[in-house]
Amino acid sequence: MTGRDSGTGRVRLRLLAEGRPPREVTVPPGVSVFEAASWNGVAIDSTCGGHGTCRKCKVRVAAPGAGGGNDGSAPDRADGTGGAGCPVPVSRLDPRAFTPEQLREGWRLACLARAVSDLEVEIPALSTRPKAATVGVGRQVILRPAVQKRYVELAEPSLSDQTPDLERLLAALDDLEPVPDLHAVRAAGKTMRAADFKVTAVVVDDVLIDVEPGDTSGSRYGVAFDLGTTTVVATLLDLSSGTPVAVRSMLNLQQPYGADVISRISATMLDPSALDRLRDAARETLDQLAREVCKEGDVSPGHVYEVALAGNATMVHLVLGVDPEPLGVAPFVMATRALPALLASDLGLRFHPRARAVVLPAPGAYVGGDIVAGVLASGMDRDRRLRLFIDVGTNCEIVLGDADRLLATAAPAGPAFEGAQIRCGMRASAGAIETVRLTPSVELGVIGDVAPAGLCGSGLVDAVAELLRVGLLDRSGRFVPDEEAVRLAPELAGRLAAVGGERVFTLAGDVFLSQRDVRELQFAKAAIATGWRLLLAEHGAAEDEIQQVLLAGSFGSYLSPASAVRIGLVPRLALPRIVSAGNVAGEGAKLALLSVQERAGALALLEEIHYVELSDRPDFNDRFVDLLAF
Amino acid sequence: MTGRDSGTGRVRLRLLAEGRPPREVTVPPGVSVFEAASWNGVAIDSTCGGHGTCRKCKVRVAAPGAGGGNDGSAPDRADGTGGAGCPVPVSRLDPRAFTPEQLREGWRLACLARAVSDLEVEIPALSTRPKAATVGVGRQVILRPAVQKRYVELAEPSLSDQTPDLERLLAALDDLEPVPDLHAVRAAGKTMRAADFKVTAVVVDDVLIDVEPGDTSGSRYGVAFDLGTTTVVATLLDLSSGTPVAVRSMLNLQQPYGADVISRISATMLDPSALDRLRDAARETLDQLAREVCKEGDVSPGHVYEVALAGNATMVHLVLGVDPEPLGVAPFVMATRALPALLASDLGLRFHPRARAVVLPAPGAYVGGDIVAGVLASGMDRDRRLRLFIDVGTNCEIVLGDADRLLATAAPAGPAFEGAQIRCGMRASAGAIETVRLTPSVELGVIGDVAPAGLCGSGLVDAVAELLRVGLLDRSGRFVPDEEAVRLAPELAGRLAAVGGERVFTLAGDVFLSQRDVRELQFAKAAIATGWRLLLAEHGAAEDEIQQVLLAGSFGSYLSPASAVRIGLVPRLALPRIVSAGNVAGEGAKLALLSVQERAGALALLEEIHYVELSDRPDFNDRFVDLLAF
């Protein structure tokens, strides 16, 4: 028996691709060799995308060290797991692709060869160069969308060839074996006869969803949605090239029901009709964006055959009309982690009537599909470096780990970063102060080049960090007495004042930072810092072993790394190692559309991400109090 | 390599069930050992119905002659098809059910063991006695409906057990591994909490379609439909016991569009809106019957989770809204032979919102799912006897064969049997003469004990047969001259008369049989006799090798075997060998509901039934003319 990678529960694959240096990767046991290679950017020939139908993904596998020189002289195995010491059993389709001699030599179809032990995989040179796209945090992804089209010219039926219409069509698809749905059954005969038996088969995953007249194989689109609590983003993708055609965003129309997930869940608990209304509001948001991106990209909605959606668990429950109450009250239970195959119409979308929908799975009630998408887009599950992923927001999700182990948790940071509960707080829109520098004069960056109207999250963090640096705030988070202020920062001391009996620091005109604002930020940063420190302890790693911090989400993208370090929100790393990851949830949704292997990777993350619940940990409060100070 | 049953393309299984005599059966290659045994009435333990999840269907397989005494000393096989000479490869789930030692001894899960060569199968005694029902032509069927229910009492979630609702439920189903659909995702959380976590999972095939509060496992129903061109029959079945709860029939509401399939296809070709109206008429018929059987059986429509439908290809196309035009014009092409998984709502039915629908597959445009159902219900595909199945009607379907080979064709008999084109013809309803005996007085059987109003199909055949017997009709089908009539049958000769210049035989009052009527029947019987004679020729068998004739359909059920033999409609067998098979289409639909193995058997029939097209055969017309005489 060949060994598993002990401890981590992963198996190690040595990929020997012709003409490329050997590459060693680790993957969860049970994934196919094809997926393992694809996830790691190593291409294997395939046109069916890993369904076992095109029979092109031929590889030769052996136990590590056995090498490729297996000559069949090794003792045979009698337990049915394959002959000649090849640790991968012969699958039901392998005998259709290989001779018995080749099977003995370890040749297998990579898409059906499951890696349950360490392997060496010999990968022949590609006969075609696969298309790839750069998505997420610099990830190079081989294009294998679930949406496939095949143009075929069929022989017309005759009395000596009465093959039914759909079987005639399916027989002409030599690398795909889809099952037609009722829509395709209805379309086939009419379309084939109207189009002179020259038609395009539209396949999504393993379903034939339509038959289109003539050659429409160039029109293959999908839409990736990032369904955020605040903002919703839609990206229209050309699935043939992997390029974005149009991007649009808007505020989630659920806003009137509350700014955060808890207030929206509460709304459904107070009013039985609110669930339907919240569902409809989310659907309207998606539908409006859908129409906008199609218009902008000049793409017919009927040529959009698949959508992918990333959102937190509450957003996903609401848009599907699933009661979110169990998410909102202890013990915080989801309906399901992974959703079944859905239609885009189940999300209220009006694309092709049989367009499919993929919803990214969620490992926990407060570590949702948006985080899975982010981990996927940043490649945390296949990177050797220990990395820390923080999605800063009202509910702050934190993931720590590397290719061998991933830990996640959620920290209740409160609404400070959204500008709520902050005296002069506002959302990051025109007039919001987003950067603050005390040089010692006050230099403000204001969104939209207008007069400052308030302070958004990144401005808040900057302001506190700068006041700490110049000494006007002490480490406990208190404004220093006036006389000390004059001594430490004579140019700025005059800005300290009292508003309604509370000490404040005036930033511009009537925009100020109050003592209570500082306290709010302290609570938020303590919650987040407690979160990642507990994950570090759980992982058995020290702060200085972290090699990169990824700041995700729209807020994280604008946060100044220097300020984040100064207030203790993130570990003290060299600033270039603190990276804004951008809208990784949307990028993850794009990945799911562009590659069925990436989609499988998202599902595998459910098993790989270990969720750490903070609310029942006895050491949470002690750590939290310790971390209140800056 | 172990041999296939050469010539027939089938493989031979010797079933050695503990405590029962050995049984040899032949099946198409590739079916599972589990299905092969089930089809032949041999029970193997199982609770999941053959999905590979309950791991109870343990059998030991060997090549013929190798016996069960395989001790592992035989040379190992290096081609991956399993060790120690066992001709069935180890499946992905076998290692979960057996030790390596047992695998070496040939133990396999029967539901995953595909029979591709002749086998000996050792079947352990059953741990539970399977329920069975008698369906069709005396077939004993082991109950394994696709609809399954499991009552479970679940632990409530807690902070230390945040398992999502659906995963909690699925983990409690130890013998099933269904995938939840969106309806179940929506239902699970609410129902589990409202019902104190005591719920019933509703599974159809491999989909979890609902979660019901409390224990509803006793309420499991299905409806079998025989969607005939003329008459539609619905049977409500209790799937727990296999017993029919209620049966109803009515005329197909498509009647106004024509009596036969060709006139209905023509209607859709003349008027673009007719397809929708025909679809709706069929759906209304099904829906009305559905409501009637539920009312009669006092069963809530929400407890009907699956329906099965058997109909000819045209009826199936129409009820699904699939354009039937290619069926109606040469070269007579179907949209598809087998339909994808459907919902009952796709047929317009209002049962459980996620109730599924199975439509029996059709081998050809004029040998439809009703005939597949009939072959299934009469067990033609597993009987050693050479049998002839005739479904008499406007389009007459004929199947000839045995377990090794099945041939089918369709003969255009015309509307004589429906009473159309017959001067005093009528449908088999009150007032129709259905039997005729000339003793030499005229003895008539009339439906409904009322005065004779006309002649239905069986009465027509009887009348002609009797007139032939007494000599008033000669073998060419002509009424003999009056003087000869007086000589041959003095008591009856007076009934010969002329109506509108045509010779007729008066049966009663103004009901008569005309010379042209006899000609119509001659054409019909010649078409049918040509059909089965050509199948006999194709099969290489002689008429006297046929061991049984099955007369199917509502018309066939009433036909007198003696008369059918006399006019040459069926081969000359001893009368007890000519059997009325009843409504076998409906019986086949019931089988599909009661057993997933029988359903798989119906699909296998697509490959087994070889369709013989008559319309392009050069010898058809010669034979037809030869067979016009009685």
Side-chain angles (χ1 to χ4, degrees), chain A residues 74-91:
Chain A
D76 287 350
R77 294 163 68 89
D79 62 358
T81 58
C86 169
V88 175
V90 172
S91 73

Side-chain angles (χ1 to χ4, degrees), chain B residues 287-304:
Chain B
D287 187 50
Q288 193 171 319
L289 287 170
R291 278 176 287 131
E292 285 178 17
V293 289
C294 281
K295 196 170 169 214
E296 187 186 323
D298 195 22
V299 165
S300 156
H303 282 156
V304 174

